[in-house]
Amino acid sequence: MARVMQPSGSILYQNKDRSVTLMDIPLSISLSQGTPDHPCTDLLYSSPPLEKPHPSIEPRSKKAKQRVQERISDTGLASQPFPRDLLTQGLAEIHAEHPFIFCSERRMNHHVLPAHHNKDQVQKETSQIVDEGTQESQIKPPERRTGVLRESQEPLILSSSATTEEHRIPQACDLVNKVIGNLSARPVLIHVGHPDRKYSIPPLSIFMLSNVGHREASHFSKMATKLFPEPSPSAAPGQFDFILLDPPWENRSVRRSKTYGSRRKADEDPMHILSGMLGKHMAPGALVACWITNKASVRDAALDAFESWGVELVEEWAWLKITVHGEPICDLDGSMRRPYETMLVGRTLDVTFDRFDNSTSAKATTKRLIVGVPDLHSRKPCLKEIIEPMMRDRSNYRALEIFARNLTAGWWSWGNEVLKYSWKGHWTEGHG
């Protein structure tokens, strides 16, 4: 087995211009639960790091390859794959500058299973949770609206003091469709119904556990302005300096798992809804990042959303997934699957501010590469440590993650899985 390490941060290697970054995925989430004054020392349970690449699922016969090519135009991979030379050069740089150490030591539990190349097995594995009884501890709003969203309800502030507090919430439904915040400098523990339902809310974090629908979006807008009534040095009331989206793009695995409840009506599509309201919550010069799939239609939909928000595409990032030995988990040029996910990064117009490479023209798109050993299915790296140097003031900025699967200290989080990894059963004590 390759050597592993326990670094002080989740970035294991980064070059000077930040175009290549080696990041530890579970550690990025763990560290994002704390602040410099009150760091999180607990560790998130993870799957075993992948030892070898997945077996190839590429078609072998000429006829099979032809059938795949015929599907690519409307259901296949995007017409603009991430440049192969940047993937290979970035990985070679990491091997040269940071050899043999590609992930930090992981804490594992026998209920957390490794990723598998078989899609049916992946779904089975991701339904397995970290400990017995965890299934009961997943809190999500119903896929279909069963009650009335009270848009007039006030936000629930758990704590604004400097001491660690615990709160008891009678029922899980009391957390749904409501903006809830921990405005203290320490984490707050909430007990929801059953004594074992304990959730840790990071310091200075605010979340809304809801689907992304028309009424929920309207409620979110009102609460953002209510909790940010005054302008900051860089944002107007209710605005954010950084917004991250990981939309539930329609694909076969999403349809099978129904993780986010795929919506087929255009006017109920979450991205369509956000296209109509999110722009007003973007500060001048705000960074906006959106994860996309390898389908050309998905890329087009994300760029359409950027246009509706007045966001110009300025960067494109790829998260290259590798084994613990530093190999891509599958063929870089695969027609059925690629070993990376792509994120589009844009910026709203602000002529007074530019933290991107000034040597490039206004129309140039900077490429950046994140490399990491994957963890549980659909668990992405937390980008806080990478994004903060791009903020005007890394100690005073407003950030929002939509379709979030975990909370982040100092950030807003919105989605129907925001508490997925806040349950204490997903965590174990670390060192520190």
Side-chain angles (χ1 to χ4, degrees):
M1 176 181 290
R3 290 188 294 147
V4 296
M5 67 176 295
Q6 193 65 37
S8 57
S10 64
I11 294 178
L12 309 182
Y13 167 79
Q14 189 174 64
N15 60 11
K16 186 174 295 186
D17 63 2
R18 302 197 303 270
S19 63
V20 177
T21 302
L22 175 64
M23 173 171 265
D24 185 84
I25 309 306
L27 190 59
S28 70
I29 299 174
S30 297
L31 296 179
S32 75
Q33 305 304 294
T35 63
D37 292 333
H38 299 284
C40 174
T41 58
D42 289 346
L43 295 175
L44 186 63
Y45 278 125
S46 305
S47 66
L50 196 63
E51 290 282 342
K52 58 184 180 180
H54 296 307
S56 175
I57 59 172
E58 292 299 308
R60 296 184 178 181
S61 69
K62 183 177 180 179
K63 187 175 181 179
K65 291 179 180 179
Q66 183 178 357
R67 285 198 301 266
V68 169
Q69 290 300 320
E70 290 173 352
R71 293 201 307 267
I72 283 180
S73 60
D74 55 0
T75 62
L77 300 180
S79 58
Q80 300 182 39
F82 200 81
R84 191 183 198 281
D85 60 335
L86 297 183
L87 297 171
T88 57
Q89 291 169 14
L91 192 54
E93 178 182 331
I94 290 173
H95 277 272
E97 301 293 334
H98 194 81
F100 308 119
I101 301 174
F102 300 104
C103 71
S104 60
E105 182 180 357
R106 293 186 176 183
R107 296 295 182 89
M108 291 168 283
N109 182 295
H110 71 280
H111 288 285
V112 180
L113 304 178
H116 196 279
H117 70 280
N118 181 278
K119 289 185 177 180
D120 293 330
Q121 183 69 12
V122 165
Q123 184 184 351
K124 178 181 178 182
E125 289 164 1
T126 53
S127 67
Q128 304 254 3
I129 313 296
V130 177
D131 207 347
E132 298 293 346
T134 314
Q135 288 280 14
E136 297 180 357
S137 298
Q138 296 295 329
I139 299 178
K140 291 180 61 177
E143 185 174 342
R144 295 183 179 276
R145 195 175 286 116
T146 57
V148 177
L149 176 62
R150 299 185 300 275
E151 295 189 8
S152 61
Q153 63 186 353
E154 295 295 306
L156 172 61
I157 305 302
L158 298 172
S159 176
S160 57
S161 68
T163 60
T164 302
E165 296 187 20
E166 296 190 12
H167 290 261
R168 297 193 178 277
I169 307 296
Q171 303 177 75
C173 62
D174 294 330
L175 297 174
V176 176
N177 296 331
K178 181 182 296 185
V179 171
I180 299 173
N182 171 20
L183 304 186
S184 73
R186 295 179 181 271
V188 167
L189 195 66
I190 59 174
H191 301 253
V192 184
H194 192 276
D196 290 335
R197 276 185 158 184
K198 299 178 183 178
Y199 297 82
S200 181
I201 311 303
L204 307 173
S205 65
I206 297 172
F207 69 92
M208 180 167 163
L209 175 64
S210 80
N211 297 312
V212 179
H214 288 285
R215 291 191 293 177
E216 292 88 348
S218 174
H219 182 57
F220 178 89
S221 287
K222 293 176 181 177
M223 292 300 101
T225 304
K226 188 177 186 68
L227 290 178
F228 284 154
E230 302 295 331
S232 73
S234 56
Q239 289 187 336
F240 297 88
D241 302 292
F242 174 60
I243 296 179
L244 173 63
L245 303 100
D246 186 10
W249 300 113
E250 181 79 10
N251 59 50
R252 283 176 293 177
S253 62
V254 169
R255 285 198 300 268
R256 186 181 294 122
S257 65
K258 296 184 180 179
T259 301
Y260 254 98
S262 300
R263 304 176 187 227
R264 289 178 172 80
K265 294 182 179 179
D267 62 344
E268 293 182 351
D269 178 76
M271 288 298 285
H272 174 80
I273 293 168
L274 293 173
S275 295
M277 57 75 68
L278 195 57
K280 64 183 178 182
H281 293 290
M282 297 175 181
L287 272 182
V288 181
C290 184
W291 289 101
I292 62 173
T293 71
N294 287 324
K295 291 181 65 175
S297 59
V298 167
R299 182 187 181 89
D300 291 343
L303 291 176
D304 287 344
F306 274 25
E307 183 177 358
S308 73
W309 299 326
V311 171
E312 180 183 11
L313 179 67
V314 292
E315 300 211 359
E316 186 168 345
W317 299 10
W319 168 32
L320 177 61
K321 304 174 187 179
I322 60 171
T323 70
V324 73
H325 301 286
E327 310 164 275
I329 64 169
C330 63
D331 187 358
L332 290 175
D333 302 312
S335 59
M336 301 293 291
R337 172 175 57 191
R338 289 182 181 151
Y340 60 86
E341 296 187 46
T342 305
M343 188 175 72
L344 304 180
V345 181
R347 191 183 287 283
T348 58
L349 179 63
D350 182 2
V351 296
T352 66
F353 178 69
D354 183 12
R355 287 294 294 274
F356 289 95
D357 186 2
N358 292 321
S359 65
T360 60
S361 68
K363 297 298 182 182
T365 301
T366 301
K367 300 291 195 296
R368 299 184 195 269
L369 179 64
I370 301 173
V371 179
V373 180
D375 193 10
L376 296 178
H377 180 66
S378 80
R379 182 180 280 176
K380 289 185 172 66
C382 178
L383 301 178
K384 184 177 184 180
E385 196 172 351
I386 295 179
I387 287 294
E388 284 191 338
M390 296 181 174
M391 297 291 101
R392 308 181 198 216
D393 181 353
R394 62 184 303 164
S395 64
N396 183 23
Y397 70 97
R398 300 171 180 174
L400 164 66
E401 182 174 2
I402 306 178
F403 311 110
R405 293 179 174 88
N406 60 266
L407 305 180
T408 300
W411 289 22
W412 284 53
S413 303
W414 177 20
N416 64 15
E417 292 187 298
V418 292
L419 294 180
K420 183 169 185 176
Y421 295 118
S422 294
W423 181 62
K424 293 294 288 181
H426 282 289
W427 297 82
T428 182
E429 291 185 359
H431 303 293

